[in-house]
């Protein structure tokens, strides 16, 4: 793949896949522009070299087109503020207006397309199916979408530009129209942006020569979105801690009761395959024996603890339980390299974030009181136990909210300096909040 530093952008239109899935307040104002700022170096590079820029991103999970709640028009002021130049909003991501605006772009100009996920073609997931649609009906609808409308959607996006840049690490693993499929439309004119390059280098550095025991902590809600990650890690690590909603698919696949917990029955064979593969490779899979369960997915829900494989009907697991915290902690304390990928509970809700915080605290307490973490130029945290990489937006599954709650820097240090007693720093770039201060 071509390097962004070796490509001639003069007179060319670059379509850049960014991750502007940023939080908004009730007024539609951006409350955290970290992701926008992280993409600025790539955008400025194209503009400085005489090119023009077409930005495309998703926001949230809209189920209709249009949906004002998820319109990217709301973030235009924040993008303009950080970029320091005018940003034209297309009002759509395909169609005559978007095509005409792209065609008329002059060097140095920037336009922003509307939310890609307004179209089902972006993710390749059909909409409007009956709630009781069978698996066969769902599969047929998905196949029809991918073979027809999605291909046309990709062609229309690609027709807007002369070259393609992927700078959205948080979505790069998905085979979506704007990431995997569109890249095929630019065989000789595709490249990573600076953020993507940085993240890939950070992960590569971690994986090439890890100190052992090497443990991966894999969280998140669905096995289906982590299959590739888990299978790849089994080839590299000594153990994998599995948390989050995935836990209940593994539990149910082995005959357990998971109540109303998130669960993917169609992934049972895959879960069992992973268990067998880990056993064959001698990789220890560590799961919480218990769960913090709730009678509703809400901050106001009633809660109690139960075995992770025996959750009563009407209740769902939303975090690891007391025993799980002990098991995870003891295992983490015995490791020398840790790769953390995803929360072990619903960290967006405080009462279900305690498991993820305990995991972070356990990492921080390795050689308690004597650990210094240094954030180097590649944004990997170095310390006496080896390397602790949180890999930025994707590898932390949007941990920006969690970071503010668990970092214990006294005081916040400048980027490149030592940070004593710091639980985690992020590779998302400068400006990550640390107890009200910022890494700069």
């Amino acid at each position: 793949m071509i390097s962004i530093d070796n490509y001639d952008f003069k007179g060319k239109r670059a379509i850049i896949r960014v991750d502007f899935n940023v939080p908004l307040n009730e007024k539609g104002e951006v409350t955290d522009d970290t992701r926008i700022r992280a993409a600025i170096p790539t955008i400025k590079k194209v503009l400085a070299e005489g090119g023009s820029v077409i930005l495309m991103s998703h926001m949230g999970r809209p189920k209709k087109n249009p949906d004002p709640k998820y319109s990217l028009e709301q973030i235009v002021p924040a993008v303009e503020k950080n970029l320091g130049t005018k940003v034209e909003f297309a009002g759509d991501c395909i169609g005559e207006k978007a095509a005409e605006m792209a065609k008329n772009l002059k060097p140095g100009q920037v336009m922003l397309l509307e939310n890609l996920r307004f179209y089902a073609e972006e993710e390749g997931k059909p909409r409007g199916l009956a709630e009781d649609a069978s698996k066969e009906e769902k599969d047929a609808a998905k196949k029809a979408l991918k073979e027809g409308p999605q291909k046309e959607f990709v062609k229309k996006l690609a027709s807007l530009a002369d070259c393609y840049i992927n700078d959205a690490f948080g979505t790069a693993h998905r085979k979506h129209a704007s990431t995997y499929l569109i890249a095929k439309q630019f065989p000789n004119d595709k490249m990573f942006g600076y953020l993507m390059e940085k993240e890939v280098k950070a992960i590569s550095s971690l994986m090439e020569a890890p100190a052992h025991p090497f443990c991966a902590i894999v969280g998140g809600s669905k096995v289906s979105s982590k299959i590739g990650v888990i299978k790849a890690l089994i080839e590299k690590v000594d153990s994998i801690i599995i948390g989050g909603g995935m836990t209940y698919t593994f539990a149910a696949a082995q005959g357990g009761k998971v109540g109303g917990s998130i669960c993917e029955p169609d992934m049972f064979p895959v879960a069992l395959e992973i268990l067998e593969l880990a056993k064959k490779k001698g990789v220890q899979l560590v799961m919480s024996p218990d769960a913090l369960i709730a009678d509703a997915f809400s901050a106001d829900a009633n809660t109690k603890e139960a075995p992770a494989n025996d959750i009563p009907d009407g209740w769902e697991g939303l975090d690891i339980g007391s025993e799980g915290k002990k098991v995870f902690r003891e295992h983490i304390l015995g490791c020398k390299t840790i790769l953390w990928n995803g929360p072990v509970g619903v960290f967006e809700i405080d009462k279900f974030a305690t498991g993820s915080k305990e995991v972070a605290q356990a990492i921080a307490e390795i050689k308690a009181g004597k650990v210094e973490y240094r954030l180097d130029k590649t944004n990997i945290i170095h310390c006496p136990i080896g390397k602790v990489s949180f890999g930025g937006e994707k590898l932390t599954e949007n941990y920006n909210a969690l970071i503010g709650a668990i970092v214990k820097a006294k005081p916040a240090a400048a980027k490149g300096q030592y940070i004593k007693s710091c639980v985690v720093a992020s590779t998302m770039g400068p400006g990550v909040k640390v107890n009200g201060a910022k890494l700069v």
Side-chain angles (χ1 to χ4, degrees):
M1 183 178 285
I2 302 167
S3 168
I4 190 173
D5 285 321
N6 298 325
Y7 190 82
D8 183 9
F9 291 104
K10 188 174 181 180
K12 294 184 178 179
R13 295 164 298 168
I15 188 165
I16 307 178
R17 178 49 160 107
V18 291
D19 185 359
F20 286 173
N21 185 25
V22 295
L24 305 174
N25 61 22
E26 63 280 357
K27 297 180 180 179
E29 300 167 331
V30 176
T31 57
D32 186 339
D33 63 359
T34 300
R35 293 181 179 180
I36 293 174
R37 285 184 288 107
I40 297 302
T42 294
I43 300 171
K44 286 189 172 181
K45 169 65 176 178
V46 176
L47 299 178
E49 296 294 324
S52 55
V53 170
I54 302 165
L55 298 171
M56 59 176 176
S57 177
H58 74 284
M59 178 185 283
R61 298 183 180 277
K63 300 301 180 184
K64 61 181 180 179
N65 182 11
D67 188 340
K69 178 181 178 181
Y70 297 109
S71 175
L72 290 184
E73 184 173 15
Q74 301 170 97
I75 72 170
V76 170
V79 179
E80 290 181 332
K81 177 182 177 181
N82 283 281
L83 188 57
T85 192
K86 177 71 175 176
V87 175
E88 298 292 341
F89 183 64
D92 201 347
C93 50
I94 56 174
E96 293 183 5
K97 181 181 178 181
E100 188 66 20
M101 287 180 65
K103 180 181 177 180
N104 294 325
L105 273 182
K106 302 290 191 300
Q109 293 184 330
V110 181
M111 64 179 282
L112 173 65
L113 302 181
E114 181 57 284
N115 193 336
L116 292 162
R117 290 188 182 173
F118 278 3
Y119 289 86
E121 290 87 342
E122 162 63 1
E123 296 180 279
K125 297 178 181 179
R127 296 174 184 171
L129 295 176
E131 291 185 7
D132 59 350
S134 65
K135 184 179 185 301
E136 290 74 20
E137 290 173 327
K138 292 178 180 178
D139 289 344
K142 188 172 185 178
K143 182 179 180 181
L145 178 63
K146 286 180 173 291
E147 291 182 350
Q150 188 179 52
K151 288 183 178 180
E152 286 303 310
F153 182 72
V154 172
K155 288 180 181 179
K156 289 179 180 178
L157 285 176
S159 69
L160 301 177
D162 303 301
C163 59
Y164 169 70
I165 301 174
N166 190 338
D167 210 26
F169 187 66
T171 59
H173 65 296
R174 298 189 174 106
K175 291 187 177 182
H176 289 174
S178 65
T179 53
Y180 176 76
L181 297 178
I182 194 174
K184 295 181 179 181
Q185 302 291 316
F186 297 91
N188 301 311
D189 298 275
K190 59 186 175 184
M191 64 212 83
F192 287 151
Y194 288 127
L195 179 61
M196 277 285 291
E197 282 188 348
K198 181 175 66 174
E199 300 290 9
V200 171
K201 287 178 181 178
I203 299 166
S204 298
S205 176
L206 175 74
M207 300 298 284
E208 284 170 4
H212 292 273
F214 181 7
C215 173
I217 303 169
V218 182
S221 60
K222 296 181 178 180
V223 173
S224 58
S225 65
K226 301 285 184 172
I227 296 171
V229 172
I230 295 174
K231 287 185 175 179
L233 288 172
I234 285 177
E235 301 294 330
K236 297 282 187 178
V237 303
D238 302 298
S239 61
I240 300 177
I241 291 176
I242 293 180
M246 289 190 297
T247 303
Y248 311 111
T249 295
F250 278 96
Q254 298 174 83
K257 285 181 55 181
V258 297
S261 305
I262 186 169
C263 184
E264 298 177 283
D266 58 326
M267 287 290 113
F268 287 175
V270 174
L272 295 175
E273 178 190 348
I274 289 173
L275 291 170
E276 186 60 33
L277 180 60
K279 182 179 179 181
K280 180 180 179 181
K281 296 288 185 177
V283 174
Q284 182 182 1
L285 294 185
V286 182
M287 300 186 205
S288 175
D290 60 351
L292 177 62
I293 64 176
D295 59 2
F297 192 92
S298 167
D300 301 322
N302 296 309
T303 62
K304 62 181 180 180
E305 294 192 350
N309 62 356
D310 191 16
I311 298 174
D313 292 339
W315 293 76
E316 58 185 314
L318 298 179
D319 198 2
I320 58 175
S322 301
E323 282 302 309
K325 292 173 183 176
K326 293 178 183 178
V327 170
F328 285 11
R329 174 186 172 80
E330 290 175 5
H331 190 81
I332 289 169
L333 291 176
C335 297
K336 291 186 177 180
T337 302
I338 295 170
L339 174 66
W340 190 352
N341 179 297
V344 299
V346 183
F347 75 89
E348 298 94 339
I349 300 176
D350 288 345
K351 66 166 65 177
F352 306 122
T354 59
S356 296
K357 292 177 184 178
E358 287 288 336
V359 166
Q361 187 60 37
I363 295 172
E365 288 182 11
I366 297 174
K367 296 187 178 180
K370 298 181 180 180
V371 179
E372 288 186 327
Y373 299 81
R374 179 171 58 82
L375 184 62
D376 70 8
K377 291 181 180 179
T378 60
N379 295 289
I380 291 178
I381 304 169
H382 293 265
C383 63
I385 64 167
K387 297 178 181 178
V388 182
S389 175
F390 290 82
E393 292 182 64
K394 175 55 196 164
L395 284 186
T396 56
E397 287 293 337
N398 305 329
Y399 258 66
N400 203 35
L402 182 58
I403 288 171
I406 64 177
V407 174
K408 297 181 178 179
K410 301 178 182 179
K415 185 174 180 180
Q417 295 181 352
Y418 280 89
I419 306 171
K420 293 186 178 181
S421 302
C422 180
V423 177
V424 54
S426 168
T427 67
M428 286 189 287
V432 176
K433 294 181 180 178
V434 182
N435 281 0
K438 291 185 178 181
L439 291 175
V440 294

